[in-house]
Amino acid sequence: MTDTGKLDIPSLRNVLQFHVDAGTDNLCILGTTGEASVMSMDERAEVIKTAVEEVKGKIPILAGTGTINPEHVKEMTLQAIDLGCDASLVVTPYYVKPPQRGLINHFTTMANLGFPVVMYNIPGRTKVDLTPESTAILADHPYIIGLKDATGDLDRVGKIRSLVGDKILLYSGNDDTSANFVMRGGDGCISVTANVAPEAMHDLMVAALEKDAELVKRINEPLLGLHKNLFIESNPIPVKWAAWRSGIIDSPYCRPPLCELDPKFHVDVETALEAAGLFSFDLNELKNTQFANIGSSSAGSSNMSP
């Protein structure tokens, strides 16, 4: 998007190519904790079409299609099917807190569309928890292929795996614990950190799958600052600023009700980027820039990625 709220397709193409070049294994677009919730169906279509043009056949495309209203979830999922995505990421309906039978019915209804579904459980945001037992019931559906677990509870990995076997893939939704998640029986992660450090996160997941604890530690230690500071404000605010600062996108602007990263956090994110080896910076220069930008709604660039 530009800083006037329009989609910035050139920046989106740049992001997509960045992930192709970095060897990203799977691409998740229109994520629930991004800005997809404030995009129209036409805007969603433009994003999907661009992703299909750039990466179809190179990287599998997982499209976020979850929201509260099941009819709207169907509409977004059918659009993803028609435009060439490979699977959908469907979050538990948030705020309304359906009971377990309601969650089972919701995911079953979406899977009955005949399109692969990755379920997304993030009770910290949705205030509803898809239990391991419900996950096991849903794992029997041929079109339910995975679970993104963002509970942060590593003890659940073994429990879920014991109930579902190899019927579905288990993805971590928490960067700070994703390596441990995989070493305990998970299959990978759907990552925020990978938006700016995709190669390192790929290597981390490979090391975790191989149960190489020493290599996991060596790869992960430089990323710890990113895992923490990319959540210093609500996601995706910090990661968009980090992507802008790294030159991946043209602006850190976020569509309301989100906003741009508070200048007081710029040093924290910069420090994390430097620790990860993504670039170096002059701390005094950054501080001077911060003071100059206080009170401004933009950090100086005109465009942003969707």
Side-chain angles (χ1 to χ4, degrees), residues 240-261:
K240 291 198 77 172
W241 193 88
W244 166 75
R245 191 67 180 85
S246 302
I248 301 168
I249 61 176
D250 286 340
S251 169
Y253 176 86
C254 289
R255 184 176 280 189
L258 298 178
C259 51
E260 201 172 300
L261 184 67

Side-chain angles (χ1 to χ4, degrees), residues 15 64 69 217 305:
V15 170
N69 184 349
K217 183 178 180 181
S305 170

Side-chain angles (χ1 to χ4, degrees), residues 3-304:
D3 57 6
T4 59
K6 304 295 183 183
L7 293 184
D8 179 4
I9 297 303
S11 280
L12 175 57
R13 292 188 189 278
N14 189 52
V15 170
L16 295 166
Q17 191 57 54
F18 172 67
H19 283 284
V20 171
D21 294 343
T24 296
D25 300 290
N26 293 278
L27 191 70
C28 181
I29 62 173
L30 300 170
T32 314
T33 51
E35 292 166 285
S37 297
V38 289
M39 291 172 61
S40 69
M41 289 298 289
D42 286 343
E43 288 174 324
R44 290 177 61 88
E46 193 169 358
V47 169
I48 293 172
K49 288 175 182 177
T50 302
V52 169
E53 288 173 10
E54 293 289 330
V55 306
K56 182 73 173 179
K58 301 174 185 176
I59 309 175
I61 302 171
L62 177 67
T65 63
T67 188
I68 298 175
N69 184 349
E71 292 305 313
H72 191 31
V73 179
K74 287 182 185 178
E75 181 185 19
M76 291 189 290
T77 302
L78 290 171
Q79 181 191 62
I81 296 170
D82 291 342
L83 296 180
C85 294
D86 297 295
S88 60
L89 178 67
V90 179
V91 71
T92 55
Y94 41 87
Y95 192 77
V96 294
K97 300 196 292 187
Q100 293 302 306
R101 65 185 183 278
L103 293 175
I104 292 169
N105 180 67
H106 182 72
F107 286 114
T108 300
T109 298
M110 301 315 149
N112 284 344
L113 295 173
F115 191 57
V117 172
V118 176
M119 303 176 292
Y120 182 14
N121 189 32
I122 181 167
R125 282 183 179 259
T126 63
K127 301 305 178 186
V128 64
D129 182 18
L130 181 70
T131 66
E133 293 76 16
S134 295
T135 300
I137 292 170
L138 289 161
D140 286 330
H141 197 292
Y143 281 100
I144 291 180
I145 63 168
L147 170 71
K148 177 183 177 182
D149 183 287
T151 62
D153 182 0
L154 290 174
D155 290 335
R156 288 175 72 128
V157 186
K159 183 172 185 178
I160 294 172
R161 182 61 77 197
S162 70
L163 292 171
V164 305
D166 294 325
K167 293 176 185 176
I168 61 173
L169 298 166
L170 300 182
Y171 295 111
S172 169
N174 296 84
D175 282 307
D176 57 343
T177 58
S178 62
N180 286 333
F181 182 100
V182 171
M183 293 183 77
R184 290 187 179 209
D187 297 290
C189 69
I190 297 176
S191 169
V192 173
T193 299
N195 282 281
V196 291
E199 290 183 69
M201 287 302 297
H202 166 83
D203 292 345
L204 179 64
M205 291 299 100
V206 171
L209 286 166
E210 294 175 351
K211 305 293 192 291
D212 190 334
E214 183 178 341
L215 183 57
V216 163
K217 183 178 180 181
R218 188 160 67 246
I219 296 170
N220 201 36
E221 280 189 346
L223 301 174
L224 293 178
L226 287 175
H227 299 337
K228 176 184 177 182
N229 290 338
L230 292 183
F231 293 90
I232 204 164
E233 286 195 305
S234 296
N235 181 41
I237 293 171
V239 74
K240 291 198 77 172
W241 193 88
W244 166 75
R245 191 67 180 85
S246 302
I248 301 168
I249 61 176
D250 286 340
S251 169
Y253 176 86
C254 289
R255 184 176 280 189
L258 298 178
C259 51
E260 201 172 300
L261 184 67
D262 191 315
K264 70 182 180 183
F265 296 128
H266 288 183
V267 171
D268 298 281
V269 177
E270 285 267 14
T271 301
L273 288 167
E274 185 177 38
L278 299 179
F279 69 91
S280 60
F281 72 101
D282 185 319
L283 180 59
N284 291 324
E285 179 184 351
L286 178 65
K287 286 180 177 178
N288 290 335
T289 301
Q290 282 183 271
F291 291 131
N293 283 339
I294 289 174
S296 170
S297 63
S298 172
S301 296
S302 61
N303 297 321
M304 64 170 283

